[in-house]
Amino acid sequence: MNKSVQFLVLGLLIFGMVNCKLESKENKVQEKIADKVEATAQVVEHTLLIEKPDGVTAPDGMVWVAGATFKQGAVDTDKAAMDHEKPAVDVTVDGFFMDATEVTNAQFAAFVKATGYITIAEKGIDWEELKKQVPLGTEKPHDSILQPGSLTFKKAKSTVPNLYDFSQWWNWTIGADWKHPNGPKSSIKGKDNYPVVQVSYEDAVAYCEWVNRRLPTEAEWELASRAGSYGTIYNWGDDESVLKEKANTWEGEFPVENTIADGFELRAPVKSYPPNAYGLYDMAGNVWEWTSDWYNTNYYKETKAKNTVLVNPKGAESPFTPNNPLAKERVIKGGSFLCNASYCASYRASARMGSSMDSSLEHTGFRTVATSDMLEKE
């Protein structure tokens, strides 16, 4: 790999186009926001919308998520919880409709056919935009490198001692996009019911606007994932031994060997695993999902320090992560087929990561939500 290619791969990986990150280094440098908070949060008056309003019909392919007041973030028993998931905060979230599955290739194809939309991965890299996310003075790579493409996964040939070096399992692949998720020779032919991937935040928002929907907030996503199970680590409870029956994740030594105990090595068709209690599929594993919230590593600490119940929170006011201070990242939820107990275990309900808004990867997709007031406007 020549120097320009190395720069581009590592630059994109380190400054935004990565996820499923281990965080012990980040935890050491995070400022401690609040040492102590009062045990009882202040309650804000709000009439919680729990049940679906009368006369409002669930849109095709969507299910109702009951509103609730719950603790968003890591539960006390979760030994794998990362610092940016803690401490759990009290939130009140009104009910809403959510796609039962991740947006599929067929659904996204219909959007592209109707609008002529071109995704970020199908466009050449804008160096003027990219250089805002890399250290000042970084030399521009050769134009032959700044071609349309995206990041694709590759297995490592042997044990990886340093799981911070993402370049060991990610490739910058020219020609990778939503129609060719694993590279130019791959295809989604015959995979209409697979989740669409290689879509950036911008791409997901464009689709949402077309269908008169929006991306969920992180609080909405976690409420939907938990489906009434507010005190457990996973959306099905606390038993990790049933993981292979519940979700598409990485079994075996990451990123060397996947035993495929759950039936799939890479992405799985939607509805391949049982839904949660609300009828939502793949709220753990398969592909990461975009939310609308800014990713800020201090969000939970700062929120807890306010000592109040947040009503329909929309996340941090601005993005921040000490490992990636130049990039503007959004929260992604749910984990993917690459999540492994030894690496990030992000199939947990509270798990969260950040991904830059122009990132598109072969294990990141999305699903949409709609509120009753949005439907009344249709």
Side-chain angles (χ1 to χ4, degrees):
M1 182 181 290
N2 64 42
K3 189 173 182 179
S4 294
V5 176
Q6 287 179 332
F7 155 77
L8 185 61
V9 172
L10 295 177
L12 290 174
L13 286 170
I14 296 172
F15 292 94
M17 300 188 73
V18 298
N19 61 349
C20 214
K21 297 173 282 191
L22 288 173
E23 294 196 341
S24 60
K25 288 186 177 179
E26 175 181 316
N27 296 345
K28 292 178 182 178
V29 300
Q30 279 201 14
E31 178 182 2
K32 192 171 184 179
I33 303 300
D35 293 327
K36 296 181 180 180
V37 295
E38 295 180 16
T40 304
Q42 299 174 7
V43 178
V44 177
E45 290 189 10
H46 176 74
T47 302
L48 176 64
L49 176 61
I50 301 175
E51 302 298 332
K52 180 176 67 68
D54 293 338
V56 178
T57 303
D60 186 40
M62 304 188 90
V63 300
W64 178 254
V65 175
T69 295
F70 70 105
K71 285 190 176 295
Q72 176 187 342
V75 299
D76 293 339
T77 55
D78 188 354
K79 303 304 181 183
M82 297 182 180
D83 192 64
H84 65 176
E85 304 167 34
K86 301 181 289 188
V89 297
D90 296 290
V91 297
T92 291
V93 179
D94 286 327
F96 56 94
F97 293 100
M98 179 178 248
D99 289 334
T101 73
E102 294 139 343
V103 173
T104 64
N105 286 325
Q107 290 172 314
F108 199 79
F111 157 63
V112 170
K113 182 178 180 180
T115 64
Y117 184 81
I118 300 175
T119 63
I120 293 293
E122 296 173 277
K123 302 175 183 178
I125 297 174
D126 184 347
W127 171 244
E128 294 303 313
E129 183 63 30
L130 179 61
K131 72 179 182 181
K132 298 176 185 177
Q133 304 181 44
V134 296
L136 187 66
T138 298
E139 183 180 352
K140 178 184 176 182
H142 191 274
D143 287 343
S144 63
I145 303 301
L146 300 179
Q147 299 299 310
S150 192
L151 287 167
T152 59
F153 171 75
K154 64 173 181 179
K155 283 184 177 181
K157 294 182 179 180
S158 59
T159 297
V160 175
N162 177 17
L163 289 174
Y164 294 106
D165 184 0
F166 311 111
S167 66
Q168 295 172 101
W169 59 86
W170 284 112
N171 269 335
W172 173 253
T173 305
I174 293 175
D177 56 44
W178 74 274
K179 291 179 290 187
H180 311 91
N182 302 98
K185 295 182 180 180
S186 64
S187 171
I188 59 172
K189 185 177 181 180
K191 296 183 177 181
D192 283 353
N193 62 337
Y194 279 64
V196 66
V197 292
Q198 298 291 17
V199 285
S200 69
Y201 178 85
E202 179 180 314
D203 301 330
V205 169
Y207 176 89
C208 288
E209 292 174 349
W210 181 65
V211 293
N212 190 30
R213 304 288 184 263
R214 62 173 173 79
L215 292 175
T217 64
E218 181 179 7
E220 287 173 334
W221 197 99
E222 188 166 327
L223 171 68
S225 175
R226 290 192 176 281
S229 183
Y230 303 120
T232 61
I233 298 173
Y234 313 105
N235 63 43
W236 60 83
D238 290 320
D239 186 1
E240 188 177 9
S241 69
V242 299
L243 177 62
K244 66 179 181 296
E245 303 163 14
K246 299 291 187 178
N248 179 18
T249 63
W250 185 281
E251 296 89 16
E253 181 185 355
F254 180 84
V256 180
E257 179 185 10
N258 189 337
T259 64
I260 320 180
D262 58 24
F264 295 92
E265 183 169 26
L266 301 178
R267 295 170 299 280
V270 299
K271 297 187 178 182
S272 293
Y273 301 86
N276 69 6
Y278 284 163
L280 298 164
Y281 295 83
D282 292 320
M283 296 299 283
N286 210 20
V287 300
W288 285 96
E289 300 179 15
W290 288 106
T291 75
S292 59
D293 288 22
W294 286 119
Y295 176 66
N296 186 316
T297 56
N298 293 328
Y299 174 66
Y300 281 81
K301 293 180 178 63
E302 293 175 343
T303 299
K304 190 70 173 182
K306 294 177 182 178
N307 194 35
T308 186
V309 177
L310 299 183
V311 177
N312 295 321
K314 297 183 179 179
E317 294 182 359
S318 59
F320 173 73
T321 171
N323 284 347
N324 195 359
L326 299 177
K328 294 181 178 180
E329 297 181 317
R330 298 283 181 173
V331 174
I332 52 177
K333 296 284 285 183
S336 78
F337 62 87
L338 295 181
C339 285
N340 177 266
S342 67
Y343 180 38
C344 67
S346 289
Y347 36 79
R348 298 171 296 105
S350 65
R352 64 200 299 259
M353 292 293 167
S355 189
S356 63
M357 296 168 65
D358 56 358
S359 296
S360 53
L361 301 98
E362 71 163 273
H363 69 342
T364 304
F366 68 104
R367 74 179 76 209
T368 74
V369 300
T371 54
S372 56
D373 61 309
M374 292 171 66
L375 299 175
E376 290 170 359
K377 295 176 183 178
E378 292 186 342

